[in-house]
Amino acid sequence: MDDLIEAARDVQDRAHVPYSGYRVGAALETADGEVYVGCNLENANYSNSLHAEEVAVAEAVKNGHRDFSRLAVSSDRRDGVTPCGMCRQTLAEFCDADLLVLCDEGEAVSEYTLGELLPNAITEEMLD
């Protein structure tokens, strides 16, 4: 199994999911090989919940990274979960369309690019 998938699986134990019971972990690899992980953190006010991918991106950016190569996403159900629409847009803010996204299906891993998951993303250039 890919080390990045393993990192996404390992961080799921730290998820705070009292409402959904659905644990998600994400591992974001920088261009220089560092890995930042995140897990979902639910809040009774659902709109304040944090998604695993957002937490991983925030950790990496907080530590000065802006160049990323791969993202792995895994749920405790090994159901091939992909980043939600909100997370896809967050990723598009900090990652290129060719970011490789690995989605854990247990014995298999689905691979997408961010551009495939979010074609025509809203970008800074669109706001000019």
Side-chain angles (χ1 to χ4, degrees):
M1 185 58 58
D2 187 286
D3 288 346
L4 207 59
I5 290 287
E6 287 296 327
R9 285 180 177 181
D10 289 345
V11 74
Q12 290 170 22
D13 290 338
R14 292 181 246 157
H16 176 74
V17 292
Y19 309 105
S20 73
Y22 187 72
R23 295 178 178 281
V24 177
L28 181 62
E29 183 178 66
T30 66
D32 61 2
E34 288 191 55
V35 174
Y36 291 87
V37 297
C39 57
N40 53 332
L41 306 169
E42 294 179 349
N43 188 293
N45 172 358
Y46 290 121
S47 65
N48 288 358
S49 295
L50 299 174
H51 297 192
E53 301 90 333
E54 293 177 294
V55 175
V57 168
E59 277 297 306
V61 170
K62 178 184 79 167
N63 282 284
H65 295 279
R66 293 282 197 280
D67 194 12
F68 305 102
S69 59
R70 300 187 307 155
L71 170 75
V73 184
S74 177
S75 79
D76 57 350
R77 298 182 189 160
R78 308 294 188 259
D79 56 4
V81 65
T82 64
C84 73
M86 181 179 70
C87 288
R88 292 175 192 196
Q89 183 60 51
T90 298
L91 289 163
E93 182 72 19
F94 296 100
C95 305
D96 294 331
D98 64 351
L99 175 78
L100 185 61
V101 180
L102 309 173
C103 301
D104 187 4
E105 295 180 14
E107 296 298 317
V109 175
S110 294
E111 294 185 6
Y112 306 93
T113 64
L114 180 57
E116 289 173 320
L117 293 174
L118 185 65
N120 303 312
I122 299 169
T123 63
E124 182 179 346
E125 293 79 26
M126 296 175 121
L127 301 178
D128 291 337

